[in-house]
Amino acid sequence: MAEIGFAGVKKSYGDTRVIHGIDMQIADGEFVVIVGPSGCGKSTLLRMVAGLETITEGEISIGGRVVNGLEPKDRDIAMVFQNYALYPHMSVYENMAYGLKIAKMSKAEIEQRVQAAAGMLELGHLLQRKPRQLSGGQRQRVAMGRAIVRDPSTFLFDEPLSNLDAKLRVQMRLEIKQLQRRLGTTSLYVTHDQVEAMTLADRLIVMNAGVAEQIDTPMAIYERPASQFVAGFIGSPAMNFLPAEISGDGRRLSLTHGLDLRSQGLDLGNLGGRTVRVGVRPEHLRLVDTAEAELHLLVRLVETLGADLLAHGHLVPAEGAPSEAAEEIVTVRLPGVARVREGDTLTLRAAEDSLHLFDPETGKRLADV
Amino acid sequence: MEKRVVFRHAWLPYLLLLPQLAITLVFFIWPASQALYQSVLRQDPFGLRTAFVGLQNFERLFSDPTYLNSFQVTVVFSLAVAALSMGAALLFAVMADRVIRGAMAYKTLLIWPYAVAPAVAGVLWWLLFNPTIGFMAAVLDRLGYDWNHFVDGGDALLLVILASAWKQISYNFLFFLAGLQAIPRSLIEAAAIDGAGPARRFWTIVFPLLSPTTFFLLVVNVVYAFFDTFGVIHATTSGGPGQATTILVYKVFSDGFIGLNLGSSAAQSVVLMSIVIALTVIQFRYIERRVHY
C-alpha cells in the first residue's frame, strides 16, 4: 500500500525535453490512468516510476520514500508490460515464482502464493505450461499473476491490453478493475485508449506533448474539459469544433458562417468581442423542430452502430443552398431508431450547458453555455 | 508456411537446378566417391600398382596408435577451440550490446579478425609466441614460464588452439550479438523489477534464451576446428612437435601427400566424412526440434 507523489518531474533526452514537469499526488489504493496520444510521454513517465528510466529533474516518491536513486527491485513495485514480457523458457509457475525465488522466500511460501494468485486468475490448470502454449488472454493473466504474487505496494501497467482483440480487451478490462478493487493496490495504468481510460480510472491524467493537460475524475474531464486537446481526446466519437465570435456586448455567439447559437439569455460580457472555438459533443446534439433549431446539418454519411447511429455532415444556413455549407465536418450521435439518410437536412439543438468555449490560440477552456 | 511454385513445364525446375547440381557433382560427390573408392585400394607411391584390399585400410587405421592419438588430440583441440572462442565471443557480445556510444566502431573492429586468412592468423600468433623474438614469449619468460612450442607439445597445442580460436571469435561474436539483440528488452526489465541483478539476469534469462544460438555455434565451431584449422596448423607447427598438434585433417594431408600412403589417407577422409555427416545430422535434428524454448 502506498501513495505516489510527483514533484516537478521532468525528463530530457539530451537537449530534447519530453516531460515538462508533472506535479501530482496519487492516494493509497487509487487507480490512476495516464492517457494520451503516442509520443506524449505517458510511457516514459510510468517507466520513471518503475526505475527503468532516470529522472532528469524533480522527485518521485512511493510510500513517502523518494525513489529517484533506487533500483527497480528496491521500489516495491510490479509492472505488467504491453508484450507481457513472460520468460519464454519458464513454465507459468516458474514465471510467477521467479521474483519470489530471488527474494529467497521458502518453497512452501512460494507454492502457497503462486497457487493463490493462480486461483484468483483461473490459471490453476495452466501452471505447467510454457507461455507459447497459452492464448493472448491467458498470457495477460500470467503477467498479472507475476505482479500479484509479489504483493507490491504499487502496480504499474504499460498498455497491457493493446495486444488483445477487442472482445478480450473488454473482458480483461473488467478483470483488472475487479482485481484492483479486491486487492486495493495503488495502480498506475498507461493507455492510449480513451475508453479504457474512462472505464478504469478513479482519476485520469490526460497528457499531451509531455504536459499533464488535466488531472481529474473521468466524468469531470468529460463534462468540463480543461482544454481543446482534452475535449477532443476524451469522448468517442470526438467532440465537434466550430469557429465562432462573441458580439461586443456578449449577448450573441455567432458561428463564422453566420448562424447564431443560444439566441436567448446569453451573457458572455467578460468575453465580449472575442473569437472562440465552440466545442459540442456528438451525443449532445438533439433532433428538434425547425422553430427551436440552432443548427442545420446536411448529412453526407451515416454510420449505423445498432443502438446508435452517427450522422456526419456539414452545417448549412437555415434556408441556404448546399453550396453554402461550412467546411468543418460535424458529427451527430442519434438513437438507432432515428431514420436518417444521406442528403437529409437535420434540425439540431445542443443540450443546456453542453457548448464548450475554448480560446483558439491557447486552447484553454473559457466557458460553457 | 509453405510456398508452392507451379512450373508450366516439367523440365524448367530441373534446368534451374542444373548449375547447383553440376557444382555439387563435380566438387563434392565426385571427389567424395573417389575417396571412398581409394579407401579400399592399396597403391604404391608411384601409382604403378594398385590392389583391392577391402576394409584393410580401416582395420590398420584403428589399430594404429598414432591415429588414435590424433583422434584424442583432435577432440581436445576442437573442444578447446569451441569453448575458448565461444566464451570470448559471448563476453564481447554482451559488452558490445551494452555500449551506446561508438557501438558501430566496436562491432566493426571485433569483426576484423574474421577477414584474416587462417595461415596468416597462424603466422601472426607464431610470431607473437616465437621463443626467440616473440613478444608474448618474452612476457611469459618474465613471468617465469619457459615457452617453447618447438619442443613442448603442450605449448604447441595451446598455440594452435589460441590462433584458431582467435580467428573464430568474430564469427561467434556476430551470432551472439544478433541473438542478444533478439531478446526483447522488456524481458530484461521484467527480470530487473523481479529483483534479479545483472549476473542473475544473464544466467537465468539471457543465457537460456541464447541456447539455440549457442548450440548452433557449438556445432559450427567443432566443424571449424575439425576441418578449417588446417592452414593455422600447417603455417605454425606442421603437426609437431612429434604428433602433438596433428589433428585428423592434418594427418590426412601428411599421410597422403607426404607419406604417400593414399589408401590410408583416403580411409581417414572417409572417417572424417562420416563425422561431419553425423555432426550435421545432430545439428539439424536438434536445432529444428529440441532447442526451442
Side-chain angles (χ1 to χ4, degrees):
Chain A
M1 308 292 113
E3 311 86 56
I4 306 175
F6 296 85
V9 174
K10 293 177 186 172
K11 174 78 187 175
S12 306
Y13 293 107
D15 294 335
T16 321
R17 174 148 290 181
V18 292
I19 290 178
H20 297 267
I22 303 282
D23 289 279
M24 79 169 300
Q25 284 295 324
I26 297 174
D28 183 21
E30 203 176 6
F31 198 126
V32 171
V33 176
I34 310 175
V35 67
S38 49
C40 71
K42 56 188 190 298
S43 279
T44 309
L45 189 63
L46 188 80
R47 292 168 59 83
M48 284 158 81
V49 179
L52 301 172
E53 299 276 352
T54 55
I55 299 161
T56 312
E57 230 178 278
E59 273 180 357
I60 294 179
S61 56
I62 300 176
R65 189 169 55 132
V66 175
V67 296
N68 285 34
L70 293 184
E71 288 289 315
K73 65 183 161 89
D74 301 322
R75 296 188 180 201
D76 198 14
I77 48 142
M79 184 155 164
V80 178
F81 291 83
Q82 181 175 355
N83 61 2
Y84 321 132
L86 301 179
Y87 312 125
H89 57 299
M90 297 184 194
S91 68
V92 168
Y93 185 93
E94 290 165 331
N95 261 284
M96 293 209 263
Y98 184 72
L100 305 182
K101 273 186 201 155
I102 291 171
K104 300 220 162 53
M105 210 171 265
S106 74
K107 275 236 165 75
E109 169 97 28
I110 293 176
E111 172 80 21
Q112 184 247 320
R113 282 205 187 194
V114 172
Q115 290 295 352
M120 207 185 294
L121 295 161
E122 293 167 27
L123 288 169
H125 58 296
L126 301 172
L127 285 175
Q128 295 317 316
R129 297 233 189 132
K130 292 279 172 68
R132 73 187 140 91
Q133 298 166 308
L134 303 178
S135 69
Q138 289 167 336
R139 284 180 206 186
Q140 176 59 55
R141 283 213 192 92
V142 177
M144 306 248 297
R146 195 170 62 181
I148 293 170
V149 287
R150 297 184 45 222
D151 191 24
S153 70
T154 305
F155 287 139
L156 304 175
F157 298 91
D158 189 4
E159 309 216 18
L161 304 182
S162 342
N163 285 5
L164 299 177
D165 64 54
K167 197 176 162 206
L168 209 50
R169 204 177 302 165
V170 174
Q171 187 196 332
M172 289 308 295
R173 197 167 79 199
L174 280 172
E175 286 186 24
I176 290 180
K177 180 87 176 171
Q178 283 172 343
L179 203 65
Q180 196 270 344
R181 283 274 158 78
R182 218 163 109 192
L183 300 170
T185 309
T186 314
S187 300
L188 196 53
Y189 185 110
V190 160
T191 179
H192 62 265
D193 182 322
Q194 55 96 16
V195 178
E196 232 169 88
M198 292 289 285
T199 50
L200 284 171
D202 293 329
R203 268 197 306 160
L204 212 53
I205 307 176
V206 185
M207 281 190 67
N208 180 32
V211 174
E213 295 248 345
Q214 192 170 6
I215 303 174
D216 214 330
T217 62
M219 266 331 268
I221 287 180
Y222 175 80
E223 283 168 355
R224 298 173 68 80
S227 70
Q228 192 182 330
F229 172 82
V230 174
F233 194 79
I234 298 293
S236 171
M239 188 183 274
N240 300 300
F241 294 105
L242 302 161
E245 262 168 53
I246 299 169
S247 64
D249 57 4
R251 302 239 168 237
R252 281 179 60 195
L253 173 64
S254 355
L255 296 180
T256 319
H257 298 285
L259 292 161
D260 276 11
L261 295 172
R262 298 287 188 252
S263 35
Q264 275 114 40
L266 191 70
D267 186 5
L268 291 166
N270 54 336
L271 298 170
R274 286 187 69 160
T275 312
V276 294
R277 193 140 293 163
V278 177
V280 59
R281 294 193 184 278
E283 54 270 38
H284 290 154
L285 290 170
R286 291 179 194 153
L287 280 176
V288 291
D289 296 336
T290 320
E292 287 179 76
E294 286 179 313
L295 302 166
H296 300 262
L297 183 75
L298 174 61
V299 178
R300 301 283 196 197
L301 187 73
V302 177
E303 290 177 298
T304 32
L305 305 174
D308 299 316
L309 69 82
L310 302 177
H312 309 275
H314 301 282
L315 292 182
V316 288
E319 272 108 31
S323 59
E324 293 169 59
E327 242 176 77
E328 295 83 7
I329 291 177
V330 171
T331 300
V332 189
R333 181 179 208 145
L334 298 169
V337 291
R339 289 280 163 265
V340 180
R341 269 190 305 274
E342 282 148 33
D344 287 357
T345 302
L346 304 179
T347 47
L348 302 166
R349 185 177 180 83
E352 282 308 304
D353 288 330
S354 71
L355 293 181
H356 309 280
L357 306 187
F358 298 102
D359 187 316
E361 253 98 71
T362 63
K364 292 276 171 260
R365 161 204 168 75
L366 298 171
D368 288 338
V369 285
Chain B
M1 249 180 281
E2 199 177 1
K3 265 193 182 173
R4 277 185 184 279
V5 181
V6 179
F7 290 102
R8 216 168 294 167
H9 302 287
W11 47 265
L12 184 59
Y14 295 102
L15 186 72
L16 292 173
L17 282 174
L18 197 62
Q20 181 63 54
L21 285 175
I23 288 174
T24 312
L25 268 174
V26 173
F27 291 103
F28 296 92
I29 308 289
W30 189 23
S33 50
Q34 277 294 314
L36 263 175
Y37 178 58
Q38 290 274 345
S39 72
V40 293
L41 300 179
R42 182 171 300 153
Q43 208 170 33
D44 72 78
F46 305 100
L48 297 176
R49 276 171 301 151
T50 306
F52 178 80
V53 293
L55 294 176
Q56 244 182 52
N57 283 328
F58 291 94
E59 279 167 29
R60 282 192 182 197
L61 212 51
F62 284 103
S63 53
D64 178 1
T66 56
Y67 187 68
L68 295 178
N69 173 57
S70 166
F71 236 111
Q72 210 179 335
V73 169
T74 310
V75 169
V76 172
F77 172 77
S78 50
L79 288 182
V81 168
L84 193 62
S85 66
M86 285 170 70
L90 183 57
L91 183 71
F92 289 144
V94 169
M95 296 303 189
D97 196 33
R98 286 188 188 181
V99 172
I100 296 166
R101 230 176 271 264
M104 269 315 285
Y106 276 103
K107 289 170 195 169
T108 311
L109 286 173
L110 276 164
I111 290 160
W112 274 1
Y114 198 55
V116 177
V120 178
V123 169
L124 217 102
W125 284 84
W126 182 83
L127 278 175
L128 272 176
F129 280 95
N130 189 301
T132 27
I133 56 167
F135 173 75
M136 286 310 291
V139 170
L140 286 171
D141 195 41
R142 281 286 160 75
L143 296 174
Y145 184 83
D146 183 18
W147 174 276
N148 193 341
H149 59 250
F150 294 117
V151 183
D152 187 322
D155 286 358
L157 188 58
L158 196 58
L159 176 70
V160 289
I161 287 171
L162 275 178
S164 308
W166 174 76
K167 222 191 100 48
Q168 193 65 1
I169 287 174
S170 306
Y171 182 88
N172 297 341
F173 167 76
L174 272 185
F175 276 85
F176 274 131
L177 188 65
L180 284 174
Q181 286 175 345
I183 295 175
R185 266 217 85 62
S186 58
L187 279 183
I188 311 297
E189 291 173 347
I193 289 176
D194 267 343
R200 186 153 193 158
R201 289 203 289 272
F202 180 80
W203 289 114
T204 57
I205 308 290
V206 176
F207 192 69
L209 293 182
L210 276 178
S211 63
T213 310
T214 310
F215 190 78
F216 163 76
L217 285 178
L218 183 68
V219 174
V220 168
N221 278 271
V222 168
V223 171
Y224 161 80
F226 260 68
F227 300 98
D228 294 345
T229 48
F230 175 83
V232 176
I233 292 174
H234 194 53
T236 51
T237 62
S238 302
Q243 298 276 318
T245 55
T246 304
I247 62 166
L248 289 173
V249 75
Y250 199 79
K251 196 165 163 57
V252 170
F253 163 78
S254 60
D255 284 3
F257 292 89
I258 297 170
L260 290 179
N261 187 350
L262 291 183
S264 171
S265 173
Q268 292 178 33
S269 304
V270 172
V271 172
L272 274 179
M273 226 179 325
S274 27
I275 293 174
V276 183
I277 290 170
L279 278 173
T280 313
V281 168
I282 291 174
Q283 167 162 351
F284 277 118
R285 286 192 82 95
Y286 275 77
I287 288 211
E288 299 301 318
R289 306 221 180 112
R290 292 285 287 281
V291 189
H292 265 296
Y293 38 77

